[in-house]
Amino acid sequence: MIKKQIRNQTQMNAFQESDDRETDTASEGSYQLSRHKKSPSSLTNLSSSSGMTSLSSVSGSVMSVYSGDFGNLEVKGSIQFAIDYVDSLKELHVFVAQCKDLAAADIKKQRSDPYVKTYLLPDKGKMGKKKTLVVKKTLNPVYNEILRYKIDKQILKTQKLNLSVWHRDTFKRNSFLGEVELDLETWDWDNKQNKQLKWYPLKRKTAPVPLEAENRGEMKLALQYVPEPVPGKKLPTTGEVHIWVKECLDLPLLRGSHLNSFVKCTILPDTSRKSRQKTRAVGKTTNPVFNHTMVYDGFRPEDLTEACVELTVWDHYKLTNQFLGGLRIGFGTGKSYGTEVDWMDSTSEEVALWEKMVKSPNTWIEAILPLRMLLIAKISK
């Protein structure tokens, strides 16, 4: 077995963050990832950063992202708002005034509990999300709220502003009532008319940007499968998968010139906290070097066709983590242990790396893979 090089051992708890992956959710949509059955396998993971061993099973857990109902209600009505960039504060101000003639979520009583949510696209993470208060029991809510974004103007000109209206339901999914999207790259910031309140008709959900169109940078990594990590045993043992995260290249800047990135790893279908490992955070560069090896053992040969390595890159800022991009490395069959799952969606490049690793045991297989948008599963307890 190749002995791993352990570096950056003390940074595993370099900062405090929520361990609930819901905090790190990259997008808010109508998606709910599949449930899957408990598998017969049991994987153990060994973190090279902490030197500690913990047990986890490749067991099924409900995977979900923030979700809402799209298309259940008719999209109608309009929203009144204005935007302005305050150079002295380096802030984008979105003044949300009111909506009128919204669709009724409560058809019998002809009313909704609407609120407005804004994002700076393409990254619909918590750092970019703002929302108004909920105004109850009306189809014509008045907000008069200013939503502020601290962002450099040059970065802002690469973004799109999305405003969506939602009905707040305490017991069910929130219902989508319509949206408006402004391309800030072509926005005339010097035109005083553009700073005035205007009415915009609400529209149906726009099609998502193709993943290939998003430049999220790349990750340089190497994988190795060690089929029998314990020498001298006559009976076949379970193997190990070694994941060497070397560096990332050309990561996107979401906070002006600031970036403090780290990488998380989970072996799906296990979404428990015991399964998750992460690198230290590397700041002030779009090309962070991690040189961090993660080891997961308990892999039987049949587990290699059912499991998937999920690597995600995050920008840590204060108490939140902004998703930058990720990989899912596996066979991309769409199924795991006989159950259809959304996360077994590896690209051809990701599949090729996994196949080479499986076919070449005890050998490091290196690749540079493009990072992409992922629907991130909520971590289970």
PDB file of all heavy atoms in Angstrom, residues 73-80 98-105 110-112 114 138-143 165 177-178 199-203:
ATOM      1  N   LEU A  73     -49.027  26.977  -9.362  1.00  0.00           N
ATOM      2  CA  LEU A  73     -49.884  28.158  -9.384  1.00  0.00           C
ATOM      3  C   LEU A  73     -49.645  28.944 -10.667  1.00  0.00           C
ATOM      4  O   LEU A  73     -48.535  28.951 -11.210  1.00  0.00           O
ATOM      5  CB  LEU A  73     -49.584  29.057  -8.182  1.00  0.00           C
ATOM      6  CG  LEU A  73     -49.893  28.478  -6.795  1.00  0.00           C
ATOM      7  CD1 LEU A  73     -49.437  29.441  -5.713  1.00  0.00           C
ATOM      8  CD2 LEU A  73     -51.378  28.181  -6.647  1.00  0.00           C
ATOM      9  N   GLU A  74     -50.679  29.610 -11.110  1.00  0.00           N
ATOM     10  CA  GLU A  74     -50.557  30.456 -12.294  1.00  0.00           C
ATOM     11  C   GLU A  74     -49.669  31.651 -11.974  1.00  0.00           C
ATOM     12  O   GLU A  74     -49.787  32.261 -10.909  1.00  0.00           O
ATOM     13  CB  GLU A  74     -51.943  30.939 -12.724  1.00  0.00           C
ATOM     14  CG  GLU A  74     -51.918  31.885 -13.915  1.00  0.00           C
ATOM     15  CD  GLU A  74     -53.276  32.488 -14.195  1.00  0.00           C
ATOM     16  OE1 GLU A  74     -54.222  32.221 -13.421  1.00  0.00           O
ATOM     17  OE2 GLU A  74     -53.397  33.247 -15.172  1.00  0.00           O
ATOM     18  N   VAL A  75     -48.771  31.950 -12.877  1.00  0.00           N
ATOM     19  CA  VAL A  75     -47.927  33.133 -12.695  1.00  0.00           C
ATOM     20  C   VAL A  75     -48.655  34.339 -13.273  1.00  0.00           C
ATOM     21  O   VAL A  75     -49.001  34.361 -14.456  1.00  0.00           O
ATOM     22  CB  VAL A  75     -46.558  32.952 -13.379  1.00  0.00           C
ATOM     23  CG1 VAL A  75     -45.773  34.258 -13.346  1.00  0.00           C
ATOM     24  CG2 VAL A  75     -45.772  31.848 -12.691  1.00  0.00           C
ATOM     25  N   LYS A  76     -48.888  35.340 -12.444  1.00  0.00           N
ATOM     26  CA  LYS A  76     -49.589  36.542 -12.891  1.00  0.00           C
ATOM     27  C   LYS A  76     -49.157  37.708 -12.012  1.00  0.00           C
ATOM     28  O   LYS A  76     -48.472  37.541 -11.017  1.00  0.00           O
ATOM     29  CB  LYS A  76     -51.109  36.336 -12.797  1.00  0.00           C
ATOM     30  CG  LYS A  76     -51.598  35.918 -11.423  1.00  0.00           C
ATOM     31  CD  LYS A  76     -53.099  35.695 -11.384  1.00  0.00           C
ATOM     32  CE  LYS A  76     -53.860  36.986 -11.598  1.00  0.00           C
ATOM     33  NZ  LYS A  76     -55.314  36.829 -11.341  1.00  0.00           N
ATOM     34  N   GLY A  77     -49.566  38.901 -12.413  1.00  0.00           N
ATOM     35  CA  GLY A  77     -49.253  40.083 -11.631  1.00  0.00           C
ATOM     36  C   GLY A  77     -47.912  40.687 -11.977  1.00  0.00           C
ATOM     37  O   GLY A  77     -47.261  40.310 -12.953  1.00  0.00           O
ATOM     38  N   SER A  78     -47.481  41.641 -11.161  1.00  0.00           N
ATOM     39  CA  SER A  78     -46.248  42.367 -11.429  1.00  0.00           C
ATOM     40  C   SER A  78     -45.605  42.810 -10.121  1.00  0.00           C
ATOM     41  O   SER A  78     -46.224  42.772  -9.057  1.00  0.00           O
ATOM     42  CB  SER A  78     -46.516  43.575 -12.331  1.00  0.00           C
ATOM     43  OG  SER A  78     -47.548  44.383 -11.795  1.00  0.00           O
ATOM     44  N   ILE A  79     -44.358  43.262 -10.237  1.00  0.00           N
ATOM     45  CA  ILE A  79     -43.600  43.714  -9.078  1.00  0.00           C
ATOM     46  C   ILE A  79     -42.988  45.066  -9.392  1.00  0.00           C
ATOM     47  O   ILE A  79     -42.536  45.322 -10.506  1.00  0.00           O
ATOM     48  CB  ILE A  79     -42.508  42.681  -8.698  1.00  0.00           C
ATOM     49  CG1 ILE A  79     -41.717  43.151  -7.476  1.00  0.00           C
ATOM     50  CG2 ILE A  79     -41.560  42.421  -9.875  1.00  0.00           C
ATOM     51  CD1 ILE A  79     -40.747  42.107  -6.941  1.00  0.00           C
ATOM     52  N   GLN A  80     -42.975  45.931  -8.399  1.00  0.00           N
ATOM     53  CA  GLN A  80     -42.398  47.265  -8.549  1.00  0.00           C
ATOM     54  C   GLN A  80     -41.115  47.350  -7.718  1.00  0.00           C
ATOM     55  O   GLN A  80     -41.133  47.108  -6.500  1.00  0.00           O
ATOM     56  CB  GLN A  80     -43.374  48.349  -8.091  1.00  0.00           C
ATOM     57  CG  GLN A  80     -42.887  49.766  -8.378  1.00  0.00           C
ATOM     58  CD  GLN A  80     -43.800  50.825  -7.771  1.00  0.00           C
ATOM     59  OE1 GLN A  80     -44.219  50.695  -6.614  1.00  0.00           O
ATOM     60  NE2 GLN A  80     -44.105  51.863  -8.529  1.00  0.00           N
ATOM     61  N   GLN A  98     -43.413  46.980  -4.014  1.00  0.00           N
ATOM     62  CA  GLN A  98     -44.688  46.280  -3.850  1.00  0.00           C
ATOM     63  C   GLN A  98     -44.940  45.331  -5.011  1.00  0.00           C
ATOM     64  O   GLN A  98     -44.232  45.342  -6.020  1.00  0.00           O
ATOM     65  CB  GLN A  98     -45.833  47.296  -3.777  1.00  0.00           C
ATOM     66  CG  GLN A  98     -45.929  48.176  -5.023  1.00  0.00           C
ATOM     67  CD  GLN A  98     -46.983  49.252  -4.903  1.00  0.00           C
ATOM     68  OE1 GLN A  98     -48.077  49.021  -4.416  1.00  0.00           O
ATOM     69  NE2 GLN A  98     -46.639  50.465  -5.359  1.00  0.00           N
ATOM     70  N   CYS A  99     -45.968  44.506  -4.846  1.00  0.00           N
ATOM     71  CA  CYS A  99     -46.467  43.646  -5.916  1.00  0.00           C
ATOM     72  C   CYS A  99     -47.972  43.872  -6.044  1.00  0.00           C
ATOM     73  O   CYS A  99     -48.619  44.355  -5.101  1.00  0.00           O
ATOM     74  CB  CYS A  99     -46.213  42.173  -5.620  1.00  0.00           C
ATOM     75  SG  CYS A  99     -44.482  41.712  -5.473  1.00  0.00           S
ATOM     76  N   LYS A 100     -48.504  43.499  -7.189  1.00  0.00           N
ATOM     77  CA  LYS A 100     -49.951  43.622  -7.351  1.00  0.00           C
ATOM     78  C   LYS A 100     -50.478  42.483  -8.223  1.00  0.00           C
ATOM     79  O   LYS A 100     -49.774  41.933  -9.073  1.00  0.00           O
ATOM     80  CB  LYS A 100     -50.326  44.967  -7.968  1.00  0.00           C
ATOM     81  CG  LYS A 100     -49.872  45.190  -9.399  1.00  0.00           C
ATOM     82  CD  LYS A 100     -50.328  46.555  -9.911  1.00  0.00           C
ATOM     83  CE  LYS A 100     -49.878  46.787 -11.360  1.00  0.00           C
ATOM     84  NZ  LYS A 100     -50.294  48.116 -11.858  1.00  0.00           N
ATOM     85  N   ASP A 101     -51.722  42.118  -7.936  1.00  0.00           N
ATOM     86  CA  ASP A 101     -52.455  41.106  -8.716  1.00  0.00           C
ATOM     87  C   ASP A 101     -51.731  39.761  -8.766  1.00  0.00           C
ATOM     88  O   ASP A 101     -51.670  39.103  -9.813  1.00  0.00           O
ATOM     89  CB  ASP A 101     -52.709  41.610 -10.149  1.00  0.00           C
ATOM     90  CG  ASP A 101     -53.501  42.905 -10.184  1.00  0.00           C
ATOM     91  OD1 ASP A 101     -54.356  43.076  -9.290  1.00  0.00           O
ATOM     92  OD2 ASP A 101     -53.278  43.730 -11.083  1.00  0.00           O
ATOM     93  N   LEU A 102     -51.186  39.348  -7.618  1.00  0.00           N
ATOM     94  CA  LEU A 102     -50.492  38.063  -7.569  1.00  0.00           C
ATOM     95  C   LEU A 102     -51.480  36.900  -7.637  1.00  0.00           C
ATOM     96  O   LEU A 102     -52.679  37.066  -7.386  1.00  0.00           O
ATOM     97  CB  LEU A 102     -49.676  37.949  -6.277  1.00  0.00           C
ATOM     98  CG  LEU A 102     -48.520  38.942  -6.092  1.00  0.00           C
ATOM     99  CD1 LEU A 102     -47.877  38.755  -4.724  1.00  0.00           C
ATOM    100  CD2 LEU A 102     -47.496  38.793  -7.201  1.00  0.00           C
ATOM    101  N   ALA A 103     -50.978  35.729  -7.960  1.00  0.00           N
ATOM    102  CA  ALA A 103     -51.808  34.522  -7.942  1.00  0.00           C
ATOM    103  C   ALA A 103     -52.167  34.177  -6.494  1.00  0.00           C
ATOM    104  O   ALA A 103     -51.405  34.454  -5.563  1.00  0.00           O
ATOM    105  CB  ALA A 103     -51.066  33.366  -8.593  1.00  0.00           C
ATOM    106  N   ALA A 104     -53.310  33.555  -6.318  1.00  0.00           N
ATOM    107  CA  ALA A 104     -53.793  33.190  -4.985  1.00  0.00           C
ATOM    108  C   ALA A 104     -53.383  31.763  -4.661  1.00  0.00           C
ATOM    109  O   ALA A 104     -53.794  30.813  -5.337  1.00  0.00           O
ATOM    110  CB  ALA A 104     -55.295  33.347  -4.902  1.00  0.00           C
ATOM    111  N   ALA A 105     -52.562  31.620  -3.610  1.00  0.00           N
ATOM    112  CA  ALA A 105     -52.205  30.280  -3.160  1.00  0.00           C
ATOM    113  C   ALA A 105     -53.375  29.626  -2.441  1.00  0.00           C
ATOM    114  O   ALA A 105     -53.606  28.422  -2.556  1.00  0.00           O
ATOM    115  CB  ALA A 105     -50.986  30.350  -2.240  1.00  0.00           C
ATOM    116  N   GLN A 110     -58.880  33.365  -1.769  1.00  0.00           N
ATOM    117  CA  GLN A 110     -58.276  34.288  -2.718  1.00  0.00           C
ATOM    118  C   GLN A 110     -57.238  35.200  -2.073  1.00  0.00           C
ATOM    119  O   GLN A 110     -57.315  36.430  -2.120  1.00  0.00           O
ATOM    120  CB  GLN A 110     -59.352  35.129  -3.415  1.00  0.00           C
ATOM    121  CG  GLN A 110     -60.100  34.383  -4.496  1.00  0.00           C
ATOM    122  CD  GLN A 110     -59.164  34.004  -5.666  1.00  0.00           C
ATOM    123  OE1 GLN A 110     -58.626  34.864  -6.351  1.00  0.00           O
ATOM    124  NE2 GLN A 110     -58.984  32.702  -5.869  1.00  0.00           N
ATOM    125  N   ARG A 111     -56.207  34.533  -1.511  1.00  0.00           N
ATOM    126  CA  ARG A 111     -55.140  35.301  -0.890  1.00  0.00           C
ATOM    127  C   ARG A 111     -53.853  34.470  -0.854  1.00  0.00           C
ATOM    128  O   ARG A 111     -53.866  33.256  -1.041  1.00  0.00           O
ATOM    129  CB  ARG A 111     -55.516  35.734   0.521  1.00  0.00           C
ATOM    130  CG  ARG A 111     -55.675  34.577   1.499  1.00  0.00           C
ATOM    131  CD  ARG A 111     -56.266  35.065   2.812  1.00  0.00           C
ATOM    132  NE  ARG A 111     -56.235  34.019   3.834  1.00  0.00           N
ATOM    133  CZ  ARG A 111     -56.842  34.112   5.015  1.00  0.00           C
ATOM    134  NH1 ARG A 111     -57.531  35.219   5.318  1.00  0.00           N
ATOM    135  NH2 ARG A 111     -56.743  33.137   5.890  1.00  0.00           N
ATOM    136  N   SER A 112     -52.750  35.153  -0.620  1.00  0.00           N
ATOM    137  CA  SER A 112     -51.450  34.514  -0.473  1.00  0.00           C
ATOM    138  C   SER A 112     -50.704  35.184   0.665  1.00  0.00           C
ATOM    139  O   SER A 112     -51.109  36.230   1.172  1.00  0.00           O
ATOM    140  CB  SER A 112     -50.635  34.637  -1.774  1.00  0.00           C
ATOM    141  OG  SER A 112     -51.216  33.910  -2.824  1.00  0.00           O
ATOM    142  N   PRO A 114     -47.250  36.434   0.506  1.00  0.00           N
ATOM    143  CA  PRO A 114     -46.079  36.576  -0.380  1.00  0.00           C
ATOM    144  C   PRO A 114     -44.877  37.262   0.262  1.00  0.00           C
ATOM    145  O   PRO A 114     -45.004  38.096   1.161  1.00  0.00           O
ATOM    146  CB  PRO A 114     -46.626  37.417  -1.532  1.00  0.00           C
ATOM    147  CG  PRO A 114     -47.718  38.219  -0.906  1.00  0.00           C
ATOM    148  CD  PRO A 114     -48.290  37.409   0.213  1.00  0.00           C
ATOM    149  N   THR A 138     -52.728  38.600   1.371  1.00  0.00           N
ATOM    150  CA  THR A 138     -52.944  39.648   0.370  1.00  0.00           C
ATOM    151  C   THR A 138     -52.399  39.207  -0.982  1.00  0.00           C
ATOM    152  O   THR A 138     -51.493  38.376  -1.052  1.00  0.00           O
ATOM    153  CB  THR A 138     -52.267  40.967   0.798  1.00  0.00           C
ATOM    154  OG1 THR A 138     -52.490  41.962  -0.206  1.00  0.00           O
ATOM    155  CG2 THR A 138     -50.776  40.778   0.968  1.00  0.00           C
ATOM    156  N   LEU A 139     -52.958  39.773  -2.024  1.00  0.00           N
ATOM    157  CA  LEU A 139     -52.433  39.597  -3.378  1.00  0.00           C
ATOM    158  C   LEU A 139     -51.737  40.857  -3.867  1.00  0.00           C
ATOM    159  O   LEU A 139     -51.237  40.894  -4.992  1.00  0.00           O
ATOM    160  CB  LEU A 139     -53.573  39.223  -4.343  1.00  0.00           C
ATOM    161  CG  LEU A 139     -54.386  37.974  -3.984  1.00  0.00           C
ATOM    162  CD1 LEU A 139     -55.465  37.718  -5.032  1.00  0.00           C
ATOM    163  CD2 LEU A 139     -53.480  36.761  -3.848  1.00  0.00           C
ATOM    164  N   ASN A 140     -51.726  41.879  -2.999  1.00  0.00           N
ATOM    165  CA  ASN A 140     -51.116  43.167  -3.345  1.00  0.00           C
ATOM    166  C   ASN A 140     -50.216  43.640  -2.202  1.00  0.00           C
ATOM    167  O   ASN A 140     -50.470  44.672  -1.571  1.00  0.00           O
ATOM    168  CB  ASN A 140     -52.205  44.209  -3.630  1.00  0.00           C
ATOM    169  CG  ASN A 140     -53.108  43.785  -4.769  1.00  0.00           C
ATOM    170  OD1 ASN A 140     -52.733  43.840  -5.932  1.00  0.00           O
ATOM    171  ND2 ASN A 140     -54.321  43.346  -4.423  1.00  0.00           N
ATOM    172  N   PRO A 141     -49.152  42.913  -1.919  1.00  0.00           N
ATOM    173  CA  PRO A 141     -48.315  43.247  -0.759  1.00  0.00           C
ATOM    174  C   PRO A 141     -47.477  44.499  -0.983  1.00  0.00           C
ATOM    175  O   PRO A 141     -47.012  44.770  -2.084  1.00  0.00           O
ATOM    176  CB  PRO A 141     -47.411  42.018  -0.637  1.00  0.00           C
ATOM    177  CG  PRO A 141     -47.301  41.514  -2.050  1.00  0.00           C
ATOM    178  CD  PRO A 141     -48.659  41.755  -2.660  1.00  0.00           C
ATOM    179  N   VAL A 142     -47.275  45.253   0.074  1.00  0.00           N
ATOM    180  CA  VAL A 142     -46.405  46.420   0.058  1.00  0.00           C
ATOM    181  C   VAL A 142     -45.223  46.135   0.992  1.00  0.00           C
ATOM    182  O   VAL A 142     -45.417  45.774   2.154  1.00  0.00           O
ATOM    183  CB  VAL A 142     -47.148  47.690   0.510  1.00  0.00           C
ATOM    184  CG1 VAL A 142     -46.188  48.880   0.570  1.00  0.00           C
ATOM    185  CG2 VAL A 142     -48.315  47.988  -0.427  1.00  0.00           C
ATOM    186  N   TYR A 143     -44.000  46.308   0.481  1.00  0.00           N
ATOM    187  CA  TYR A 143     -42.810  45.991   1.258  1.00  0.00           C
ATOM    188  C   TYR A 143     -42.004  47.235   1.626  1.00  0.00           C
ATOM    189  O   TYR A 143     -41.649  47.436   2.779  1.00  0.00           O
ATOM    190  CB  TYR A 143     -41.906  45.031   0.463  1.00  0.00           C
ATOM    191  CG  TYR A 143     -42.584  43.740   0.102  1.00  0.00           C
ATOM    192  CD1 TYR A 143     -43.089  43.527  -1.185  1.00  0.00           C
ATOM    193  CD2 TYR A 143     -42.740  42.732   1.042  1.00  0.00           C
ATOM    194  CE1 TYR A 143     -43.711  42.340  -1.527  1.00  0.00           C
ATOM    195  CE2 TYR A 143     -43.366  41.535   0.718  1.00  0.00           C
ATOM    196  CZ  TYR A 143     -43.847  41.354  -0.568  1.00  0.00           C
ATOM    197  OH  TYR A 143     -44.477  40.180  -0.895  1.00  0.00           O
ATOM    198  N   VAL A 165     -40.945  35.971  -6.511  1.00  0.00           N
ATOM    199  CA  VAL A 165     -41.994  36.157  -5.520  1.00  0.00           C
ATOM    200  C   VAL A 165     -42.501  34.781  -5.115  1.00  0.00           C
ATOM    201  O   VAL A 165     -42.741  33.914  -5.962  1.00  0.00           O
ATOM    202  CB  VAL A 165     -43.150  37.017  -6.069  1.00  0.00           C
ATOM    203  CG1 VAL A 165     -44.178  37.300  -4.972  1.00  0.00           C
ATOM    204  CG2 VAL A 165     -42.609  38.325  -6.646  1.00  0.00           C
ATOM    205  N   LEU A 177     -44.466  32.237  -7.306  1.00  0.00           N
ATOM    206  CA  LEU A 177     -45.500  33.116  -7.855  1.00  0.00           C
ATOM    207  C   LEU A 177     -45.027  33.905  -9.075  1.00  0.00           C
ATOM    208  O   LEU A 177     -45.831  34.579  -9.706  1.00  0.00           O
ATOM    209  CB  LEU A 177     -45.997  34.092  -6.775  1.00  0.00           C
ATOM    210  CG  LEU A 177     -46.610  33.459  -5.519  1.00  0.00           C
ATOM    211  CD1 LEU A 177     -47.023  34.543  -4.528  1.00  0.00           C
ATOM    212  CD2 LEU A 177     -47.802  32.588  -5.878  1.00  0.00           C
ATOM    213  N   GLY A 178     -43.745  33.825  -9.401  1.00  0.00           N
ATOM    214  CA  GLY A 178     -43.238  34.533 -10.574  1.00  0.00           C
ATOM    215  C   GLY A 178     -41.881  35.155 -10.300  1.00  0.00           C
ATOM    216  O   GLY A 178     -41.447  35.270  -9.147  1.00  0.00           O
ATOM    217  N   TRP A 199     -42.541  49.155 -12.805  1.00  0.00           N
ATOM    218  CA  TRP A 199     -43.314  47.915 -12.719  1.00  0.00           C
ATOM    219  C   TRP A 199     -42.782  46.921 -13.743  1.00  0.00           C
ATOM    220  O   TRP A 199     -42.555  47.261 -14.894  1.00  0.00           O
ATOM    221  CB  TRP A 199     -44.802  48.176 -12.983  1.00  0.00           C
ATOM    222  CG  TRP A 199     -45.513  48.842 -11.831  1.00  0.00           C
ATOM    223  CD1 TRP A 199     -45.824  50.157 -11.702  1.00  0.00           C
ATOM    224  CD2 TRP A 199     -46.002  48.186 -10.661  1.00  0.00           C
ATOM    225  NE1 TRP A 199     -46.477  50.390 -10.523  1.00  0.00           N
ATOM    226  CE2 TRP A 199     -46.604  49.197  -9.860  1.00  0.00           C
ATOM    227  CE3 TRP A 199     -45.991  46.874 -10.202  1.00  0.00           C
ATOM    228  CZ2 TRP A 199     -47.200  48.917  -8.629  1.00  0.00           C
ATOM    229  CZ3 TRP A 199     -46.574  46.590  -8.974  1.00  0.00           C
ATOM    230  CH2 TRP A 199     -47.175  47.595  -8.196  1.00  0.00           C
ATOM    231  N   TYR A 200     -42.588  45.683 -13.294  1.00  0.00           N
ATOM    232  CA  TYR A 200     -42.125  44.610 -14.175  1.00  0.00           C
ATOM    233  C   TYR A 200     -43.111  43.446 -14.094  1.00  0.00           C
ATOM    234  O   TYR A 200     -43.457  43.005 -12.983  1.00  0.00           O
ATOM    235  CB  TYR A 200     -40.741  44.110 -13.755  1.00  0.00           C
ATOM    236  CG  TYR A 200     -39.644  45.131 -13.849  1.00  0.00           C
ATOM    237  CD1 TYR A 200     -39.432  46.056 -12.828  1.00  0.00           C
ATOM    238  CD2 TYR A 200     -38.782  45.158 -14.949  1.00  0.00           C
ATOM    239  CE1 TYR A 200     -38.402  46.990 -12.904  1.00  0.00           C
ATOM    240  CE2 TYR A 200     -37.737  46.081 -15.031  1.00  0.00           C
ATOM    241  CZ  TYR A 200     -37.566  46.994 -14.002  1.00  0.00           C
ATOM    242  OH  TYR A 200     -36.544  47.910 -14.078  1.00  0.00           O
ATOM    243  N   PRO A 201     -43.567  42.943 -15.223  1.00  0.00           N
ATOM    244  CA  PRO A 201     -44.465  41.776 -15.185  1.00  0.00           C
ATOM    245  C   PRO A 201     -43.721  40.535 -14.699  1.00  0.00           C
ATOM    246  O   PRO A 201     -42.572  40.292 -15.085  1.00  0.00           O
ATOM    247  CB  PRO A 201     -44.909  41.628 -16.641  1.00  0.00           C
ATOM    248  CG  PRO A 201     -43.818  42.262 -17.445  1.00  0.00           C
ATOM    249  CD  PRO A 201     -43.282  43.382 -16.608  1.00  0.00           C
ATOM    250  N   LEU A 202     -44.363  39.777 -13.847  1.00  0.00           N
ATOM    251  CA  LEU A 202     -43.771  38.539 -13.359  1.00  0.00           C
ATOM    252  C   LEU A 202     -43.822  37.472 -14.453  1.00  0.00           C
ATOM    253  O   LEU A 202     -44.800  37.383 -15.206  1.00  0.00           O
ATOM    254  CB  LEU A 202     -44.500  38.043 -12.107  1.00  0.00           C
ATOM    255  CG  LEU A 202     -44.325  38.931 -10.867  1.00  0.00           C
ATOM    256  CD1 LEU A 202     -45.249  38.484  -9.748  1.00  0.00           C
ATOM    257  CD2 LEU A 202     -42.874  38.901 -10.390  1.00  0.00           C
ATOM    258  N   LYS A 203     -42.778  36.663 -14.522  1.00  0.00           N
ATOM    259  CA  LYS A 203     -42.681  35.636 -15.555  1.00  0.00           C
ATOM    260  C   LYS A 203     -42.523  34.257 -14.926  1.00  0.00           C
ATOM    261  O   LYS A 203     -42.203  34.125 -13.741  1.00  0.00           O
ATOM    262  CB  LYS A 203     -41.490  35.928 -16.474  1.00  0.00           C
ATOM    263  CG  LYS A 203     -41.592  37.262 -17.193  1.00  0.00           C
ATOM    264  CD  LYS A 203     -40.372  37.496 -18.080  1.00  0.00           C
ATOM    265  CE  LYS A 203     -40.473  38.829 -18.808  1.00  0.00           C
ATOM    266  NZ  LYS A 203     -39.286  39.081 -19.672  1.00  0.00           N
TER     267      LYS A 203
END
